[in-house]
Amino acid sequence: VDLAAGPIRIAGDQELLRRAIENVVRNAVRYAPEQSAIEISATAERSSAIVTVRDCGPGVPGDALAKIFTPFYRVDQSRDSATGGVGLGLAIASRAVSLHHGRITAENELPGLRVMIELPLK
């Protein structure tokens, strides 16, 4: 990622990291209202790179925030693979980030959800 301050370099498997970020962005697109923006940013802080993806959708109930990274967990259990996936995208992202010694977290915004991926810098 090229920023005004220069590129941010992360050591790791390019394909796994691409999939992790892609899954988070796909999730944001899925839940964002039509014609709304998805905000994506990358910053370097101390020894970490932080990729943030924010949508303006409904967010997630507070008690479900930690669970959304669990395989097959869906906030709305009435969704199926035709209407909302099977609950693997964020779990795959979490596993890929973990393999790179990083962490992934989520927090509600008003409106929407913000997902942060923190990875060690090279």
Side-chain angles (χ1 to χ4, degrees):
V1 176
D2 285 319
L3 300 176
I8 297 173
R9 302 207 187 275
I10 301 167
D13 184 291
Q14 181 177 349
E15 182 61 18
L16 282 179
L17 292 172
R18 182 197 65 77
R19 286 183 187 177
I21 294 168
E22 179 182 16
N23 283 335
V24 172
V25 171
R26 281 180 190 260
N27 194 70
V29 169
R30 178 176 288 130
Y31 293 105
E34 282 191 39
Q35 305 301 317
S36 67
I38 306 292
E39 298 172 13
I40 303 169
S41 65
T43 59
E45 296 180 6
R46 298 182 196 153
S47 61
S48 297
I50 300 172
V51 177
T52 303
V53 179
R54 180 185 181 228
D55 65 60
C56 294
V60 173
D63 61 338
L65 279 172
K67 298 174 189 173
I68 63 174
F69 300 107
T70 304
F72 305 109
Y73 181 80
R74 294 180 312 226
V75 172
D76 181 353
Q77 294 302 317
S78 67
R79 291 184 183 273
D80 61 24
S81 60
T83 61
V86 295
L88 286 176
L90 292 179
I92 290 169
S94 178
R95 179 71 177 138
V97 169
S98 177
L99 287 171
H100 288 85
H101 308 288
R103 67 186 191 119
I104 186 169
T105 57
E107 62 188 24
N108 281 310
E109 294 290 325
L110 295 173
L113 185 71
R114 180 184 313 267
V115 177
M116 286 101 21
I117 297 171
E118 184 176 352
L119 297 161
L121 290 172
K122 186 173 180 180

